[in-house]
Amino acid sequence: MKIKSQAAIDHFARLEVIRQLNDTLRTTGKGGTVVATPGLASLDPEVLIAVVAAVRAFADFDSRNDPYGEHDFGVVESEGKRVMWKIDYFDADLHAHSPDAADPTKTKRIMTIMLAEEY
């Protein structure tokens, strides 16, 4: 049995915290800010509700769409629309990248949901 170094254990523990924080924002809208692009916001309300529900339900993470294991990006198809979502980590003042994405006191999470055609 191979024993992992403390640094490797710390890395995986931090990664699990980041993943949980991102999943919470994506599935509940809590723990950050969710923004919709103009194209997404212009959808009929029923379509928008279905699209957001599809983003919230997304769980098809794998090494191709989540290479770092953070659950910070995804693409879904709903109501005939291809939709992308991305979670970014900013510092507390929203001026730069977060110094520690695993620490919610140092990180503001922003999830952007957009129509793929807007990318």
Side-chain angles (χ1 to χ4, degrees):
M1 171 187 238
K2 188 173 183 177
I3 298 175
K4 294 182 180 179
S5 70
Q6 186 61 43
I9 293 169
D10 291 346
H11 169 76
F12 288 112
R14 286 176 39 71
L15 184 58
E16 180 60 27
V17 169
I18 292 169
R19 186 172 29 247
Q20 289 176 2
L21 290 167
N22 288 345
D23 285 345
T24 296
L25 177 57
R26 180 180 48 77
T27 62
T28 70
K30 296 179 181 176
T33 301
V34 178
V35 297
T37 57
L40 190 76
S42 71
L43 297 175
D44 289 334
E46 300 83 23
V47 174
L48 180 59
I49 289 168
V51 165
V52 171
V55 169
R56 293 176 88 169
F58 182 85
D60 192 23
F61 295 102
D62 61 34
S63 61
R64 292 171 296 144
N65 65 15
D66 190 30
Y68 302 107
E70 295 182 355
H71 292 190
D72 64 339
F73 173 81
V75 178
V76 297
E77 301 270 344
S78 178
E79 301 294 314
K81 304 293 182 187
R82 185 170 171 86
V83 176
M84 302 167 63
W85 56 269
K86 173 73 173 104
I87 299 174
D88 293 297
Y89 319 124
F90 293 93
D91 66 8
D93 297 324
L94 298 173
H95 290 141
H97 190 72
S98 170
D100 184 359
D103 185 344
T105 66
K106 296 179 181 178
T107 304
K108 300 277 186 179
R109 282 179 160 65
I110 309 290
M111 181 171 79
T112 304
I113 307 173
M114 71 179 74
L115 297 174
E117 63 202 47
E118 293 181 284
Y119 182 70

